[in-house]
Amino acid sequence: MNIPQKKLDIICPVYNKQDLVKDFIQSAMVLPADKVNIILVNDGSTDDSANSIQTKITELAVDNFYLINKINGGVSSARNEGLEHASSDYVWFCDPDDLILPDAAKAVNELGTLDAEMLVFPYRLFFTWENRAEEKKFSPTGQMSSAQFLQDFNYFGNNNCLNTVWNRFFKRSAIGEFRFDETMHHSEDRCFVLDVLSRDPKVHMGTWSIYQHNRYLSDTLSTVESPGKIADMTKANLKNIASLDKVKNTRPEKKHHINAMTVKRIKLKEKNVYKYYVNEHKKTQHSCFSVNVCKRITPVHFTRYSYLRFI
């Protein structure tokens, strides 16, 4: 498929979103067609998503929307497929059940004036079952180095801005050969952001809210713990800590990671949790049960569960 080079390519994976994807397409109409391509990757949908997309594109009579059909491989696989077809200066990853906000057009028009390889913006969280919106803003704003960005928007802190891709534009040259990890089903977005940050790109924190991320009641299922989720989060956390190691003392982050993963293992009623907890502290040369240890984890928690095997 021959997609012309413009300022921005939007890559949107679609799987069984035959109704919601039409709203996404409509919302993208606020963007200047001469500067933006919208690449919709149908990831082997079993509903009528492909036909819904094509019908909507025909209805709108637009020539900057492109549909790519592929066999099902998951969201990371679909995004990676979109990257193979991208040709514009910047790339923006969106989801088909979300919406692009009007101020995104201002952000696109600003692309030519900013010397940045990653542009990050505020966004809106919309809780559909409550009909309630929450604006997510970040500070500081403006131009900064990747090192400053990692510290100011630390995943392990209170100002996290690392675990999403849909509120930022990536310069395609900064992405390079990096791709989404198709073996992961959780935290893969954070790993991708960290990969791009490893190139030491210039970062710009914008002020326009460009995106509405819709939350659905069914999303609460993703909060359920599983061994696979813990493994993916561990992988992302360790990559995150390795990145921070270059710019700060990561003792608090290592402690946070160990405590959080221990709590998740307790919730899963895993065996040998205490052994895991002690061994992880040894690996990072931390002492167990220190003063600043997470209050949710004490020796009492381990003795409270008879299924735990002590070392």
Side-chain angles (χ1 to χ4, degrees):
M1 181 176 290
N2 186 24
I3 299 176
Q5 182 178 1
K6 296 181 180 179
K7 274 293 178 188
L8 176 70
D9 286 337
I10 292 175
I11 296 174
C12 180
V14 182
Y15 180 72
N16 289 355
K17 301 291 183 184
Q18 62 181 30
D19 295 320
L20 292 172
V21 70
K22 292 184 286 187
D23 293 331
F24 171 79
I25 292 172
Q26 187 66 52
S27 74
M29 292 297 290
V30 302
L31 301 172
D34 61 324
K35 295 182 179 179
V36 181
N37 296 313
I38 295 90
I39 303 169
L40 297 131
V41 183
N42 175 38
D43 188 39
S45 295
T46 57
D47 67 356
D48 205 30
S49 289
N51 186 55
S52 290
I53 292 168
Q54 196 59 63
T55 300
K56 186 66 176 180
I57 292 173
T58 302
E59 173 193 316
L60 294 172
V62 288
D63 61 2
N64 64 321
F65 286 75
Y66 302 88
L67 173 61
I68 297 170
N69 291 297
K70 63 180 288 294
I71 61 173
N72 180 255
V75 62
S76 291
S77 170
R79 286 171 172 167
N80 290 340
E81 178 69 23
L83 276 171
E84 296 306 311
H85 294 271
S87 61
S88 296
D89 298 338
Y90 287 85
V91 175
W92 182 12
F93 299 99
C94 296
D95 288 342
D97 48 0
D98 292 339
L99 299 173
I100 292 172
L101 298 180
D103 276 353
K106 297 178 183 177
V108 171
N109 289 326
E110 196 177 39
L111 279 176
T113 66
L114 294 172
D115 180 23
E117 293 145 306
M118 183 187 293
L119 294 91
V120 188
F121 299 93
Y123 59 90
R124 178 185 301 158
L125 278 178
F126 186 73
F127 301 88
T128 57
W129 67 96
E130 297 176 343
N131 195 31
R132 177 176 64 86
E134 180 181 310
E135 299 296 331
K136 301 291 290 185
K137 298 184 181 297
F138 301 98
S139 179
T141 59
Q143 202 87 349
M144 64 186 68
S145 67
S146 57
Q148 182 185 347
F149 180 82
L150 276 168
Q151 293 180 82
D152 289 346
F153 302 99
N154 190 348
Y155 170 81
F156 299 99
N158 297 320
N159 199 29
N160 170 33
C161 188
L162 277 178
N163 59 341
T164 57
V165 293
W166 32 251
N167 68 318
R168 67 197 72 207
F169 302 161
F170 298 92
K171 197 158 191 177
R172 194 162 58 87
S173 59
I175 294 174
E177 75 282 0
F178 290 130
R179 294 296 183 267
F180 288 89
D181 188 336
E182 296 180 22
T183 68
M184 298 178 71
H185 302 285
H186 189 281
S187 304
E188 67 275 19
D189 289 6
R190 178 156 52 112
C191 285
F192 182 82
V193 171
L194 289 166
D195 281 339
V196 176
L197 286 170
S198 72
R199 293 187 183 275
D200 196 24
K202 297 174 184 175
V203 181
H204 180 83
M205 293 297 297
T207 57
W208 291 311
S209 187
I210 66 170
Y211 194 79
Q212 177 172 304
H213 177 58
N214 293 324
R215 299 292 302 273
Y216 299 87
L217 197 56
S218 58
D219 292 341
T220 56
L221 293 175
S222 64
T223 63
V224 177
E225 307 300 349
S226 69
K229 181 179 178 180
I230 290 175
D232 286 348
M233 289 190 71
T234 297
K235 185 175 183 177
N237 284 355
L238 295 180
K239 180 189 282 279
N240 208 150
I241 289 168
S243 297
L244 285 167
D245 264 332
K246 302 171 185 176
V247 297
K248 71 183 295 290
N249 183 312
T250 56
R251 179 181 173 85
E253 286 78 13
K254 290 172 181 174
K255 197 73 176 178
H256 184 290
H257 163 67
I258 295 170
N259 293 339
M261 294 304 102
T262 301
V263 168
K264 291 180 183 297
R265 283 173 164 79
I266 289 175
K267 289 180 178 178
L268 276 181
K269 299 186 177 181
E270 285 190 0
K271 297 179 179 180
N272 297 317
V273 176
Y274 185 77
K275 185 174 183 178
Y276 162 83
Y277 181 72
V278 172
N279 285 343
E280 289 302 303
H281 277 80
K282 288 179 180 177
K283 286 180 188 177
T284 57
Q285 298 181 337
H286 283 62
S287 58
C288 295
F289 313 131
S290 60
V291 174
N292 62 346
V293 75
C294 176
K295 292 181 180 178
R296 290 178 297 172
I297 302 180
T298 68
V300 176
H301 281 82
F302 297 108
T303 57
R304 192 175 292 169
Y305 297 95
S306 59
Y307 50 80
L308 293 179
R309 293 181 182 174
F310 288 79
I311 57 171

